[in-house]
Amino acid sequence: MHELGLCDAMLKMLDKILAEESAADCKVRRVVLEIGELSGVVPHFMEESWKAVTDRTLYADVQLDICTVPGYADCLDCGAHLRPVQSGFRCPECGGGKLKPASGTDMTIQSIEVWEEE
Ligand SMILES: [Zn+2]
């Protein structure tokens, strides 16, 4: 389960972004994450890990919203463009199992909402 590590990395990233934007007085309210279907990241675990990692930090109240991005791959045998999650990680055209991920392999922070403290 590498979601814990990912959440920890996200916290550090938030710290860095806030420091760079000299937004130390700002409070993060919401983080929107995009998780690719082929990234290997499980959204449910991500939510659980986020709670664990932010517990008793200044991000404890931050709402984490997750959007799943469809993942596509190309078949190396026949060149078909397919969605592995739907076809059981095999090519629906030729039945081949040699797939090259084309998209939906990343996890990215889509947006960070902040509000300034009074
Ligand atoms: Zn194929």
Side-chain angles (χ1 to χ4, degrees):
M1 190 166 128
H2 58 294
E3 282 81 2
L4 261 184
L6 287 173
C7 282
D8 198 45
M10 254 172 67
L11 272 198
K12 294 200 172 80
M13 218 187 294
L14 286 178
D15 277 340
K16 198 164 160 265
I17 291 168
L18 289 184
E20 275 170 9
E21 305 280 321
S22 45
D25 296 337
C26 295
K27 203 170 175 339
V28 179
R29 185 167 51 174
R30 192 165 86 107
V31 175
V32 182
L33 259 193
E34 273 187 1
I35 298 181
E37 245 173 19
L38 302 179
S39 66
V41 179
V42 183
H44 169 71
F45 287 151
M46 204 61 198
E47 279 166 9
E48 296 292 306
S49 303
W50 179 249
K51 270 183 232 152
V53 169
T54 56
D55 188 38
R56 282 178 229 167
T57 70
L58 74 160
Y59 302 114
D61 301 323
V62 176
Q63 187 189 337
L64 182 69
D65 286 341
I66 294 177
C67 331
T68 310
V69 179
Y72 291 92
D74 295 313
C75 173
L76 291 180
D77 289 324
C78 73
H81 196 58
L82 57 120
R83 195 170 166 196
V85 172
Q86 284 182 335
S87 63
F89 288 85
R90 299 205 79 82
C91 175
E93 303 294 329
C94 71
K98 274 184 269 167
L99 308 176
K100 185 173 173 285
S103 62
T105 55
D106 300 321
M107 183 189 89
T108 50
I109 294 179
Q110 198 208 43
S111 66
I112 298 169
E113 261 177 43
V114 295
W115 44 295
E116 284 183 47
E117 294 243 280
E118 301 287 310

